[in-house]
Amino acid sequence: MKLEEIKHPELKNHISMIYMHSENQNQEAIDKTESEIKEYIKDKHFIISVEDSKPVKIPYANNGEYIVPIFTDEQEYINGMQYFSFNVMDENKDYIIEKLDYFKKLKEDPNFLGYIVNIARVSYILNTSLI
């Protein structure tokens, strides 16, 4: 699979719906949309940022917790790499195209909070209950 073949407009729509439901404080709709996200990502390939064949880990707090960036399309990957370079985090970064369960051991790590979708826009964190 090639970088330009990765496109996830459905996931972006689901994320937009989560924000809309949050503004309306509609927890039932949020739960339904999260269920749809979980089903959607199960069989899809994403662009995953890696360094030395390991997922890039971005500290989330000062207690060792972290998130791993993923990207829904080529443009978001380019934007994410620009974000990394602005924050001096782009050295030795590469990417792979895989399903999110590629790094199964991440789910076993209590410090892993989930995947952040499109880090340059900080749009959404797919927490471990959705993976």
Side-chain angles (χ1 to χ4, degrees):
M1 194 167 262
K2 297 179 182 177
L3 185 66
E4 59 271 8
E5 294 174 321
I6 302 296
K7 297 184 187 317
H8 294 292
E10 296 92 353
L11 180 60
K12 290 180 179 183
N13 288 339
H14 286 315
I15 290 169
S16 295
M17 293 304 292
I18 293 274
Y19 281 113
M20 186 183 76
H21 297 318
S22 293
E23 287 179 9
N24 295 326
Q25 299 176 355
N26 187 342
Q27 189 60 46
E28 184 177 323
I30 291 170
D31 294 343
K32 181 179 182 288
T33 306
E34 284 182 342
S35 178
E36 292 168 354
I37 288 173
K38 186 174 183 173
E39 189 63 31
Y40 178 84
I41 65 175
K42 188 170 33 173
D43 297 321
K44 301 291 189 263
H45 287 78
F46 289 88
I47 304 164
I48 303 172
S49 190
V50 296
E51 184 174 17
D52 298 327
S53 300
K54 296 179 182 171
V56 170
K57 297 177 181 179
I58 299 172
Y60 193 76
N62 290 330
N63 59 1
E65 294 178 327
Y66 64 92
I67 51 180
V68 171
I70 62 170
F71 306 93
T72 57
D73 59 41
E74 182 179 19
Q75 188 58 50
E76 290 296 344
Y77 177 73
I78 291 167
N79 292 343
M81 289 300 100
Q82 288 174 346
Y83 174 85
F84 281 141
S85 69
F86 290 144
N87 291 288
V88 193
M89 296 166 48
D90 64 334
E91 296 176 14
N92 305 316
K93 301 290 185 287
D94 202 0
Y95 69 89
I96 59 172
I97 297 172
E98 289 291 344
K99 293 181 182 178
L100 296 183
D101 64 354
Y102 183 77
F103 295 108
K104 291 178 183 170
K105 290 190 177 193
L106 284 177
K107 277 188 77 170
E108 298 169 11
D109 184 350
N111 290 324
F112 175 60
L113 299 177
Y115 292 99
I116 184 165
V117 180
N118 300 330
I119 190 168
R121 299 193 181 168
V122 192
S123 61
Y124 192 69
I125 294 178
L126 297 172
N127 64 47
T128 54
S129 69
L130 297 177
I131 304 170

